[in-house]
Amino acid sequence: MPARPVTVQVEGRALRLTNLDKVLYPASGFTKGDVLDYYRRVAPALLPHLARRPVTFLRAPDGVGGARFYEKRRPRGSPPWLETVVVGGRRGTIDYPLVESLAALMFVANLAVLELHVPQWKVDGSGVPQPSDLLVVDLDPGAPATLAECCVVALEVRDALVADGLHPLAKLSGSKGLQLYARRPEDRREGDPSELVRRLAERLEADRPDLVVSSMRKSLRNGRVLLDWSQNSRAKTTVAPYSLRARDEPTVSCPLRWEEVEATAGGADPARLRCTPADALARLERHGDLFTPLLGPRPAGAAGAAVRPGAG
């Protein structure tokens, strides 16, 4: 029989957790309870990257082998304390959820939300969308290219962004490729970041046509790495750092050290970069949150310790 629902107190909120023994990743036996436990433990690192960013969920109520769907709007049955923000678009307005507390994260994880996707922009305290504070380059390999080729291209992209005065960081997508992020200085947030990344992609494609492609046409990706500049569009979202992915087995979109990218580009086994929930938590214990620089300057007097996961 399924485990009985349990009611827990999280930050003073009563949450009713259901079907904790339901297997959501059949290949590994990873259950809904395991999903909740992972998100509970990773919350100190994850939540700052969700702050003030409207969240799109990927839900898989019957696990990764069943039906799944994206959800942008406030889920039905949400408690009144789940904060939302109304954002307008080409198809009208959407009441997006904001996930800024452990209680909110546990509530959505209990809905079998496996993936959390956010845009490269935030809303201010009044809910008004601000200029993009982040720039992202999504590196997607076309078979037979692999993560190894992504690492080679990532170093080229890194050098180009550094030459432009930016400070890129890398993370695993949790699927097949890599994503590079850079924080946009406040005095350089006007204009369309998609255009900047598109020009970069076209320049690298001209230099390395055997390895890089800038066009979205799938027929052109064979054996090459797509530099997807479109993820910077105001309408697009990218999987958040430390989010689970709805793959056959649970993997995490996990920040990397540049030394790891360089080693893989130099011939190290790319399988070493695969990141499970346990790996992500261990890496946080060892290195802290490698994506902390994306959060911007720390307030005066703020503690300088790296963000680390919650206790097991």
Side-chain angles (χ1 to χ4, degrees):
M1 292 181 61
R4 290 183 177 181
V6 297
T7 298
V8 297
Q9 292 288 325
V10 181
E11 299 177 328
R13 310 288 192 187
L15 295 180
R16 185 173 182 267
L17 307 181
T18 59
N19 299 318
L20 295 179
D21 59 352
K22 187 171 187 177
V23 175
L24 298 184
Y25 292 86
S28 63
F30 204 76
T31 66
K32 185 176 171 184
D34 293 326
V35 168
L36 281 156
D37 183 61
Y38 168 71
Y39 276 130
R40 176 186 65 84
R41 296 175 64 189
V42 84
L46 167 62
L47 288 174
H49 296 288
L50 303 181
R52 307 314 298 171
R53 299 187 193 273
V55 184
T56 296
F57 305 134
L58 178 61
R59 294 177 61 177
D62 295 316
V64 296
R68 60 181 75 180
F69 58 93
Y70 285 97
E71 185 170 49
K72 295 182 178 182
R73 300 183 184 276
R74 176 191 181 97
R76 286 192 301 174
S78 295
W81 49 261
L82 181 67
E83 188 178 358
T84 62
V85 61
V86 177
V87 178
R90 289 177 297 179
R91 300 181 180 179
T93 59
I94 296 178
D95 192 17
Y96 280 95
L98 294 174
V99 179
E100 301 195 307
S101 67
L102 179 59
L105 182 60
M106 292 296 93
F107 169 75
V108 300
N110 188 56
L111 299 177
V113 169
L114 300 184
E115 297 185 5
L116 303 155
H117 295 251
V118 290
Q120 312 314 317
W121 47 270
K122 297 180 178 182
V123 296
D124 66 12
S126 300
V128 177
Q130 300 299 294
S132 300
D133 61 313
L134 298 178
L135 175 149
V136 63
V137 186
D138 192 9
L139 279 61
D140 186 11
T146 67
L147 188 59
E149 284 76 17
C150 286
C151 288
V152 173
V153 175
L155 298 180
E156 299 280 349
V157 175
R158 178 191 64 179
D159 293 346
L161 292 176
V162 168
D164 196 37
L166 299 176
H167 303 283
L169 300 171
K171 75 175 173 72
L172 295 167
S173 70
S175 180
K176 297 181 295 182
L178 285 179
Q179 293 158 347
L180 306 190
Y181 286 75
R183 181 172 175 80
R184 301 177 73 199
E186 289 192 22
D187 60 354
R188 294 176 58 183
R189 291 183 186 173
E190 298 302 321
D192 183 2
S194 293
E195 183 63 19
L196 185 155
V197 179
R198 183 183 65 80
R199 292 197 303 267
L200 169 60
E202 291 174 346
R203 187 168 77 246
L204 291 180
E205 181 180 32
D207 292 341
R208 293 294 307 270
D210 60 316
L211 188 59
V212 176
V213 61
S214 64
S215 171
M216 301 298 166
R217 288 171 54 190
K218 290 188 177 181
S219 61
L220 299 178
R221 299 185 198 178
N222 185 39
R224 298 196 286 175
V225 176
L226 169 67
L227 266 63
D228 187 351
W229 44 269
S230 72
Q231 295 299 314
N232 294 280
S233 165
R234 300 283 292 180
K236 291 289 191 74
T237 60
T238 308
V239 67
Y242 306 107
S243 172
L244 291 169
R245 300 307 305 265
R247 308 281 291 172
D248 288 343
E249 296 191 11
T251 55
V252 173
S253 186
C254 191
L256 296 173
R257 292 176 296 123
W258 278 114
E259 292 90 337
E260 296 172 292
V261 178
E262 292 165 351
T264 305
D269 184 0
R272 297 171 58 188
L273 297 184
R274 181 175 178 273
C275 188
T276 67
D279 293 331
L281 293 168
R283 290 172 65 87
L284 278 165
E285 274 297 334
R286 189 160 59 248
H287 305 301
D289 177 18
L290 297 173
F291 262 33
T292 295
L294 297 181
L295 301 175
R298 303 177 70 86
V307 174
R308 300 187 186 278

